[in-house]
Structure formats: structure tokens, C-alpha cells
Amino acid sequence: MKGQCHCGAVQITVPEPPEETLHCNCSLCRKTGWRGGFWNPDVVKIEAAPEMLNSYVQGDKMITLWNCKRCGSHTHWTPRTAPPDRMGINMRMFDPDDWQHLPVREVDGASL
Ligand SMILES: [Zn+2]
């Protein structure tokens, strides 16, 4: 399954769709319009020139959130102190037909 940011500077490849997508009510997910999917970083390919990626670290500093410097799309996050076997990708970077039929897990991140 292949996805990309709006301008195409960041290309994302994963071997298969996730079993479910995550919809979270925390402030970061709300403001970025995030819809999450989890994968092991070993199977994810992120292709982008380093100067095209902007990083954002906040709050508990558990993850780094990445966005495209040109179009601003929030593409993925990588673990900092969070468990290293999991990273998140914004499902909105993929074609809706590839994931909108998947079950949605509501996450109450605002209360964590
Ligand atoms: Zn872009």
C-alpha cells in the first residue's frame, strides 16, 4: 500500500493495511486531523529528502511527529521514548478506498 503527502515530497510504503485505524481525541490528533495506523518500523518505507521533513516533539516527548515542509501534511510519527517496535502513519496519506472500510478504534487520548 502506497501513500504520499499532498505535494508528493514524502512517499510512504507499507506491506499491507492495518487491522484497524485509530481515531483519537487528544489535542494533537484533533488539530492535525490525524487518523492513525500502526506498523513495525522495520516494514515501513518513508522516502523523502531530509530537508523536506519537519519534526515536532511536544508534551511527554514520547514520539516525534513528522510533517512535509512544503505542503504541511502530517505524515507519520516515530518513537522517541515510546516502544521502538511501533510507529504511526496518518491514514489520510493513503487513498481512502484503501482504509476507510477498516474498523475504527476510538482512543480517549485527551484523558491519558
Ligand atoms: Zn508534501
Side-chain angles (χ1 to χ4, degrees):
M1 192 163 82
K2 279 179 172 292
Q4 61 177 35
C5 66
H6 192 265
C7 74
V10 184
Q11 298 282 328
I12 303 166
T13 308
V14 294
E16 59 198 357
E19 287 178 6
E20 60 182 7
T21 67
L22 285 85
H23 184 247
C24 175
N25 64 359
C26 82
S27 58
L28 193 56
C29 287
R30 284 202 319 267
K31 288 176 187 283
T32 57
W34 190 266
R35 184 68 164 276
F38 288 139
W39 282 267
N40 187 303
D42 292 345
V43 302
V44 174
K45 196 159 81 175
I46 304 284
E47 291 167 284
E51 68 271 17
M52 292 309 295
L53 283 171
N54 185 51
S55 65
Y56 180 58
V57 177
Q58 58 90 47
D60 53 20
K61 298 184 168 54
M62 286 181 70
I63 63 170
T64 302
L65 180 65
W66 299 93
N67 69 279
C68 173
K69 241 180 217 174
R70 186 156 63 199
C71 70
S73 302
H74 291 275
T75 51
H76 63 294
W77 62 259
T78 50
R80 283 169 51 89
T81 58
D85 60 345
R86 201 169 74 158
M87 66 178 283
I89 298 174
N90 189 352
M91 297 307 294
R92 299 190 197 279
M93 301 303 117
F94 299 107
D95 191 299
D97 290 343
D98 288 342
W99 60 272
Q100 280 194 329
H101 59 285
L102 297 170
V104 180
R105 180 144 62 96
E106 295 292 336
V107 180
D108 186 15
S111 301
L112 294 178

